[in-house]
Amino acid sequence: MSVDEGAFDVIVLGTGLTNSIVAASLSKAGFKVAHIDHNPYYGALDASLSFEELVQWQNTQTTAFSSFSRSGDTLAQSRAFSISLAPSLIPSTGPLIDALIASGVARYGGFRMIERVCVYDPSGTVKLVPGSKEDVFKNKEISLLDKRRLMRFLMFAAGDFEDKKELEGHADTPFPEYLKTVFSLTGDMINAIVYALAYCLSPNDPTLPALHRLRRYLRSAGRYGTSPFLVGHYGSAGEIAQGFCRTAAVSGGVYILGKPIKSLSASPPKHILHFEEFPEPLSCSLLISSPGYSLPSQPTLVNPPSSSSTSFSAHSTTCDVARCIAIIDRPLGLGELAPPPDDDGIPMEPVADESAPSPDNSSSSTSPSPAVLDTAVLVFPPSSLANGSSTAAATALLTGENTLSCPKGKWILYLALPLLASTPISNPETLLQPYLNAILALPADGIDTPITPLFTTFYIQHPSPPADPQQTAEAPLEPASASTAAHLAPAPLPPILPLPDAGDAAAEHAEHVFWEAVKILRPNAKEGGGDQDDDDGITSFWPPMENKEDQDEE
């Protein structure tokens, strides 16, 4: 490798979703980018892994994850699974969908609609969550008076409520209390709204951020179907991260995965990176790092934007999360399904010609029976299980064969429980087994015996500590000079966010990091506008899509 070949504007460490979006946007903006990951796979903590990769990954974890247990090391058709380390939903409107479309990454992947959102009832049954006016009117379990109250609230939540009298003095009121006192809603409706529509983590979550989340989701319904939520094929977040990496490569980005880094040092105005297997080093003017790498200098910590459209829980920045992954071979009983649409693919709205993925490329080759549920979310409010948490809500995400994440006749079930300060310390299997047992007692085929999973694993995920910062990105940033080697570190996002917030938070954070990088590399660039004739001008996060079909080749 020549000196010129090894010289880059930017080196990005780690291929998690945030950093992958950053790498793609900088590469498409014309910067020379090298993207490095010491893992042999894309996605880092957002990766989608085969079964063998999951087992190997668990054997190598030391800090971000702990307390692993699993039922075995083998599984039939193991290579056909794409198991997500970061299970999440994608709202039909929001920063992630916008980035997928504007970057062209949407054409590389496929998406499935979430077919059911349910709430677990202490009686051992599940109740479908009404998320639209039509759902409310069709629901026979809600009285006419309660329907009127619920409709009044949903119309309020979907509108511009910030200056309405109903919100005055209640921005920090616990959301369940607000629904009860202001809108006279009752227990079951409150649980559905708080935990399955607003995706609060606890009864103490404040009202205003919950309303912001709820409004986004209500306004998302109808864009691609009745549900406001999608899930990506092949494990969602990991496959999406890889799609952004592919876009960066198409624009000239260089990728090195699974190679040991011998040393990483700062020699102003450059960072120098040596690999054990390559004789020539790589150098860059700007280093963008992520947790898990030995850093040569104190970085500038880039926090998520303060004007974020996503609403983090007050507890989410510090708490651990207990997780379970279970693989089953029988469907769950979460309500009857209507026949599926003729086309299983979810096309994105184009922003330019050819920007939407082809339905043929996003469909499964087989379709399940109309009565078989392929995708669903089941929420357990606090105290919904006698031996479950009384302070935090647990969530379960189900993905089946049409998400292309598992073979025909198999489903992957992801369980998560935030370990708030008031949660007794215990091992994850003890915490989550009651929830898993309750779910497995809901078979859909008329058999009363609970489902026996083919495989289970339990573990705890810990928040990633941020790099030791010299300043935050809100402080003035200087371009790289003869006496400095610029170094940015995107602050790690919390390991537990509301299910629909993780992808949007990553996309919004990535755009913030992109503009901070541009300030260093091209100080004359204008964020969000400027003189189009200025060679240094970078006027948008994503440049306009080219109207040609050569984007698919790396």
Side-chain angles (χ1 to χ4, degrees):
M1 181 181 290
S2 69
V3 174
D4 288 340
E5 288 177 334
F8 293 88
D9 297 314
V10 186
I11 292 178
V12 181
L13 299 179
T15 56
L17 184 54
T18 298
N19 282 14
S20 295
I21 298 173
V22 171
S25 59
L26 289 172
S27 187
K28 287 178 76 69
F31 297 106
K32 188 177 180 183
V33 176
H35 202 173
I36 313 298
D37 200 316
H38 50 213
N39 296 301
Y41 48 81
Y42 292 93
L45 298 183
D46 299 311
S48 300
L49 304 178
S50 70
F51 179 79
E52 289 92 346
E53 288 172 331
L54 177 71
V55 172
Q56 183 178 6
W57 170 82
Q58 290 188 342
N59 291 333
T60 61
Q61 295 307 305
T62 57
T63 56
F65 300 87
S66 68
S67 305
F68 287 102
S69 65
R70 61 177 180 267
S71 60
D73 293 343
T74 60
L75 186 68
Q77 298 177 286
S78 59
R79 293 183 180 274
F81 289 90
S82 291
I83 302 171
S84 177
L85 299 183
S88 59
L89 305 179
I90 307 171
S92 297
T93 60
L96 182 55
I97 284 287
D98 291 347
L100 286 166
I101 295 170
S103 64
V105 172
R107 72 182 65 192
Y108 297 146
F111 306 85
R112 287 286 297 176
M113 188 72 63
I114 292 296
E115 297 166 311
R116 283 289 182 270
V117 177
C118 304
V119 174
Y120 189 83
D121 187 81
S123 66
T125 60
V126 297
K127 295 187 176 181
L128 184 65
V129 175
S132 67
K133 180 169 64 176
E134 292 77 12
D135 290 339
V136 173
F137 282 122
K138 291 178 181 178
N139 194 311
K140 298 180 180 180
E141 297 182 2
I142 304 176
S143 70
L144 181 59
L145 177 60
D146 285 340
K147 285 181 180 180
R148 290 174 178 170
R149 290 172 175 169
L150 182 56
M151 280 303 305
R152 174 174 171 258
F153 170 73
L154 292 177
M155 292 177 65
F156 165 81
D160 297 324
F161 48 70
E162 283 82 356
D163 296 326
K164 296 293 181 64
K165 61 180 179 60
E166 290 92 340
L167 189 57
E168 289 181 3
H170 291 291
D172 296 322
T173 300
F175 195 37
E177 178 184 335
Y178 172 77
L179 294 175
K180 181 179 180 180
T181 58
V182 176
F183 287 91
S184 301
L185 298 180
T186 56
D188 288 346
M189 286 188 292
I190 289 175
N191 280 340
I193 292 168
V194 172
Y195 303 108
L197 288 179
Y199 286 90
C200 293
L201 302 182
S202 85
N204 297 320
D205 283 19
T207 290
L208 186 57
L211 284 175
H212 283 153
R213 283 197 303 271
L214 181 55
R215 179 170 60 191
R216 267 196 316 127
Y217 307 152
L218 292 174
R219 292 181 176 182
S220 295
R223 186 176 188 185
Y224 302 119
T226 56
S227 172
F229 303 123
L230 308 173
V231 64
H233 285 177
Y234 297 107
S236 201
E239 183 71 6
I240 291 171
Q242 187 167 347
F244 281 103
C245 293
R246 182 178 181 184
T247 291
V250 168
S251 299
V254 172
Y255 277 80
I256 301 175
L257 268 64
K259 301 297 183 183
I261 297 175
K262 182 178 180 180
S263 66
L264 182 58
S265 60
S267 180
K270 300 288 186 179
H271 292 280
I272 310 297
L273 190 152
H274 289 268
F275 289 92
E276 292 183 359
E277 300 180 10
F278 300 152
E280 300 295 332
L282 305 184
S283 66
C284 66
S285 300
L286 171 62
L287 178 70
I288 299 177
S289 62
S290 61
Y293 291 84
S294 298
L295 304 177
S297 61
Q298 287 186 323
T300 296
L301 185 66
V302 184
N303 289 312
S306 57
S307 59
S308 173
S309 67
T310 58
S311 303
F312 296 170
S313 165
H315 307 287
S316 62
T317 56
T318 57
C319 76
D320 297 337
V321 53
R323 294 194 180 276
C324 168
I325 300 171
I327 296 174
I328 59 176
D329 60 357
R330 285 167 54 195
L332 295 177
L334 298 177
E336 296 181 359
L337 286 178
D342 293 336
D343 179 11
D344 287 334
I346 304 296
M348 297 296 182
E349 292 181 356
V351 296
D353 290 345
E354 306 296 332
S355 70
S358 165
D360 291 339
N361 292 335
S362 59
S363 299
S364 170
S365 59
T366 60
S367 296
S369 161
V372 174
L373 195 69
D374 193 64
T375 58
V377 174
L378 176 59
V379 176
F380 291 82
S383 302
S384 57
L385 284 182
N387 49 355
S389 173
S390 61
T391 59
T395 57
L397 173 63
L398 180 74
T399 62
E401 62 182 272
N402 272 347
T403 66
L404 306 185
S405 61
C406 55
K408 181 178 174 63
K410 305 293 189 297
W411 289 262
I412 305 175
L413 185 64
Y414 301 97
L415 265 167
L417 176 70
L419 304 183
L420 308 181
S422 56
T423 303
I425 300 300
S426 182
N427 71 71
E429 186 167 358
T430 300
L431 290 169
L432 291 176
Q433 191 68 56
Y435 296 98
L436 181 61
N437 291 342
I439 296 171
L440 298 180
L442 300 168
D445 52 13
I447 300 175
D448 293 333
T449 56
I451 298 171
T452 300
L454 303 176
F455 169 82
T456 57
T457 184
F458 299 86
Y459 57 96
I460 291 178
Q461 183 177 1
H462 308 284
S464 297
D468 185 18
Q470 62 183 12
Q471 59 180 350
T472 65
E474 284 70 23
L477 292 178
E478 298 294 333
S481 66
S483 61
T484 63
H487 182 180
L488 297 179
L493 296 175
I496 182 68
L497 287 171
L499 264 180
D501 268 9
D504 278 350
E508 202 163 41
H509 195 16
E511 181 171 4
H512 192 47
V513 175
F514 168 82
W515 286 115
E516 298 301 334
V518 168
K519 288 178 186 178
I520 294 171
L521 297 167
R522 297 264 184 90
N524 294 328
K526 304 291 193 302
E527 180 174 350
D531 186 352
Q532 294 287 353
D533 296 327
D534 185 351
D535 289 339
D536 284 337
I538 297 176
T539 61
S540 64
F541 183 34
W542 300 106
M545 293 281 292
E546 296 182 11
N547 187 18
K548 57 184 180 180
E549 297 183 359
D550 60 358
Q551 300 284 339
D552 289 337
E553 297 190 12
E554 294 187 25

